[in-house]
Amino acid sequence: MTDVISLLTFPDTSKAFTAYRSTVVDVDDRSASHPRKTPRLDADSDSGSASRSRDSAKGKNVDRGGPVRIQVHGFAGGVVGSALNKAYDNLFARLSRSIRALLEKGSDQLSTTYEGVYTACRGVVCVAGRGEGLYEMLKVEIHKCVNRLAEELEKTNKEGVEWIGQFVETCAWFEGQVALLESLLTYLDRAYVLKNPSLPSIHDLAFTRFRERIFSGYFIVDKLQKGISTWVTWERNEGQVHIHRPFLKELVSHLVTHYVYDAIFERHFVEQTQEYFSKESYQMVEVEKAKAKVFLAHCNQRTNEEQGRARDVMSDGTVALVKDAAIRALFEGRLEWMAKEVFTECKGTTDLKKAYALFASVDGLPVLCREFKAYVQRTVQDIVKDASKDDEMVNRLLEFKSFADSTLKEAFVDSSTKQNNQDFAYGLIDAFTKGFKARRNKPAEQIAKHVDRLMRHGQRGVSDAAFEALLDAALALYRFTDDKDVFRTFYHRALAKRLLLERSASDDFEKAMLKKLKEKYDPEFGMGDHMFNDLALSRDIMREYHTRIRHDSSAQKLSVMVLQRSFWPFPKRTKGVDLPSSMQADLDNYTTFYKQKHQGHKLDWDHSLGTATVKARFVAGPKDLTVSLYQAIVLLIFNEETEIAYRHILEETRMDDGELRRTLQSLACANKKVLKKRPVGKDVNDNDVFYFNPEFTDPRAKVHINSIQAKETAEESQRTQSHIEGDRKHYLDAAIVRIMKAKKELSHEQLKNETIDAVKSHFVPEVSVIKQRIDGLVEQEYLRRDEEDRNLYIYVA
């Protein structure tokens, strides 16, 4: 039969007492058979039906479908009440013993099963109504349990990581027991605590007490943090994973569970990381004097180690904090030093990419960008100012520019946008421009000569696209120079030589190059069209001339280029040369023909760029020598004599002294020695004697020894520079007069700025030169100074 406790604690939806309804038994005294139930009575045969009938008769609308409330009088006192109270007391005591046993570490004295604890809690809370007492008892037991755990942790002899292991075990046991209590005392949480919102749940009650007692005390927190420091310091020093690292992973989990991870672990770990790596940085840089490249590699290694350790042990949010703390501690006070040294020591884009990432992580990109700009400017200045290596200037600049571009493209890339950092890109352009200013004119001259070499040598097996890239790389340097007129002048001269000596790789490339220069770089590059027209007209005239002379005439091999002096960058020759009589005769006949065809035109012969093919007989066999006209004149003298003194050659040819020395040097002192001289040496002196070299050999039947013509001599370069300086004065004078004519009057500062702006497409003049030109124009009475304000200039009409 069901006991009273079970009966009274059925849920509201059960039938409770109705399940034990009274039954009417009809007993026949005369029969000895077992009593039997009678059938259901009629509607009004029982008292309940009669009562309902009476209510209906009186007009009462009584709802009999709801719950029936039954009150038992005299139940609390008396024998039954005393028995129940005693039963409740025993139940409460048994439950208290069970809770105490569950909260005592190492205890196995649980007097009942988990189901018995669960049922007892239900009876105490739901039937006996003693939820408050049970809650207070549980609270006391939790306090005692937490105190015992704290004392155990404080009294243990373990230290460091081993102590953390014991702490983790304690946390795991406590959290497990609390979870078990939550399950067994469900009715306390659901039936009592929920009805009292001011009370914390069993979980919150236990964890709050644990947090207050364990994590609020100095001793335990201090041992925790010392253990953390011991563990991570050992791993950093040894470069290995500690055997007890799993303890730390569990510790993090428990600290997160108790909401103290940030305060106890994360904050301490970050501070310890900063302290450790600050000391390590000082030791490496200040004491050991490590190189920037070594220190950079060390920083990368350390940050990767810290990041890996944090990912393995700590929560996700801590990983970035630890990495940031490590790199900032390593770089603290080292940014300027690293930025200055890194570009000197790190020549590969891989190292610079790592440096960029590290500087970006500590907000140091402005420092790195500033030093990158300074490094580029300093390097360009060193290359440009190295006069001993002027011939290598452009190749060195191109090599460095290629390195800088690849660094910009591969290393200085924003991780978010995957685009080049524009600050570094603009800094590179600015640095090259300022670097070029370290030496006036020369960079532009050398760039023009470099393009000349490319155009003379041609593709030589290189594809059109590759050759175009070589030209574009050289012209990219041209953008950095202010001396556009210098480049234009030297390029003009080199182009003229290539065309006249037929040393150009391709006329199509020449025309395409001129078009590119005019459209993309300098609108003044329009001189090429007239030069090509002159050459085409000259070829037409020569074809006509050859048809008018005898087929066996020596003039059939004559080629004359008639050029308009205004379109060609060659000064008029002040001193000529005596040609052999046969050559002079052919030129005289051509002059007569040309003047008959073009009356009023005057021809001035310039033999400096003339060429000839001379047949020579050596011991090894005959050779065709392609030489300059000056070289041919000198060689033909040796048909008459085998040895000739320098002074005699000078008298025979009446050539310019410097030109003759250069010509003899190319024949007797260069690699291809058609002539020899006494005494042997690289320079030509007045007392030298030259003689024919019959032992000359060369594997080719046609030997070219006229490269001297294509090269710009020091004298020619100096003359060109002087010519450029003269043109600049005229440019400035014209610009100043034009400006003053339009403005009528300007202050000195205004006139200076207007003048610079007017000529900057050609060159950027020095302020001192502008002042000289203004003073000159004042003397020439193009301008005058104001009588009251001497700093004000007035245009004189």
Side-chain angles (χ1 to χ4, degrees), residues 134-188:
L134 180 60
Y135 186 85
E136 291 299 324
M137 182 272 295
L138 176 64
K139 185 175 180 181
V140 170
E141 293 300 328
I142 288 175
H143 278 233
K144 291 179 179 179
C145 171
V146 172
N147 288 337
R148 286 194 300 271
L149 295 177
E151 291 174 2
E152 181 182 339
L153 290 171
E154 291 169 355
K155 293 178 180 179
T156 183
N157 294 325
K158 294 181 179 180
E159 296 291 338
V161 184
E162 291 184 357
W163 186 89
I164 288 181
Q166 181 177 343
F167 180 84
V168 167
E169 181 186 352
T170 300
C171 289
W173 177 85
F174 181 77
E175 291 165 14
Q177 296 307 104
V178 171
L180 181 59
L181 283 175
E182 284 186 88
S183 177
L184 297 179
L185 305 181
T186 300
Y187 276 93
L188 181 63

Side-chain angles (χ1 to χ4, degrees), residues 491-500 511 514 526-539 561-564 566-570:
Y491 185 86
H492 193 188
R493 289 180 60 83
L495 172 63
K497 283 189 175 184
R498 291 197 300 274
L499 295 177
L500 294 178
K511 292 177 181 178
L514 286 170
M527 79 289 283
D529 296 337
H530 300 290
M531 297 168 74
F532 282 106
N533 290 339
D534 282 353
L535 296 178
L537 289 173
S538 296
R539 294 187 188 103
M561 296 293 178
V562 181
L563 314 175
Q564 299 181 66
S566 59
F567 298 138
W568 294 81
F570 303 119

Side-chain angles (χ1 to χ4, degrees), residues 7 10-23 40 64-70:
L7 178 65
F10 275 141
D12 292 342
T13 56
S14 69
K15 296 181 180 180
F17 284 112
T18 60
Y20 294 87
R21 308 177 73 178
S22 299
T23 55
R40 177 180 291 275
R64 297 297 183 181
V68 178
R69 181 177 182 85
I70 299 175

